[in-house]
Amino acid sequence: MAVLVDWYDAEKTIVLYTLEGKWTWDELYPEYRKAIDMEKSMPYRVDVIIDMRQSGPLPLNLLTHVKNFADRQPDNIGISVVVTHNSFVMAIYQAGCKFYANIRRYFVITKTMEEALQMIEAQRTEEKDPA
């Protein structure tokens, strides 16, 4: 299977999606529903990392599906950080942000796992200590 979801950390504060090779929406949606159940089972904030560094070509209708995900986030979701080197994904993200306000609210994009973890930690810190 080209799409997997599991906890990133033992504390169950980050859900990790791993997308490898050629994957389809039919593969992603069952894992997405699993992730939503995982997130809702926790009484605290849960963030998401979507690791696309080994992803193959993207399935069609990306923006429509990303909008569906952004519009259906549970109340305790923090941010979802997409990790990719794919310039096409980055361009689609920028275009999507212009049309769907919720995308930027829930999804950010970076090139490394280290940066993803730093973004999550920075937002958690900001929520605890708003300036």
Side-chain angles (χ1 to χ4, degrees), residues 99-118:
F99 296 105
Y100 305 121
N102 275 349
I103 290 176
R104 192 177 302 274
R105 180 173 169 205
Y106 290 110
F107 292 94
V108 293
I109 198 163
T110 190
K111 293 183 179 182
T112 69
M113 288 294 284
E114 294 78 19
E115 289 174 351
L117 294 168
Q118 289 169 359

Side-chain angles (χ1 to χ4, degrees), residues 18-34:
T18 304
L19 288 78
E20 295 179 343
K22 187 173 180 179
W23 53 273
T24 68
W25 297 117
D26 288 339
E27 292 174 306
L28 181 60
Y29 274 99
E31 293 296 301
Y32 169 72
R33 286 188 287 276
K34 174 183 165 185

Side-chain angles (χ1 to χ4, degrees), residues 23 43 48 51 103 116 120:
W23 53 273
V48 176
D51 184 357
I103 290 176
I120 289 169

Side-chain angles (χ1 to χ4, degrees), residues 36-79:
I36 293 294
D37 289 343
M38 291 164 61
E39 294 155 1
K40 286 181 175 180
S41 73
M42 295 300 129
Y44 46 77
R45 173 191 169 130
V46 176
D47 295 289
V48 176
I49 295 175
I50 304 163
D51 184 357
M52 296 182 69
R53 292 174 296 168
Q54 302 299 316
S55 176
L58 298 173
L60 298 176
N61 302 318
L62 179 68
L63 284 181
T64 300
H65 292 280
V66 170
K67 182 184 182 317
N68 286 338
F69 297 139
D71 289 345
R72 292 189 171 107
Q73 297 298 311
D75 292 338
N76 66 325
I77 198 73
I79 60 170

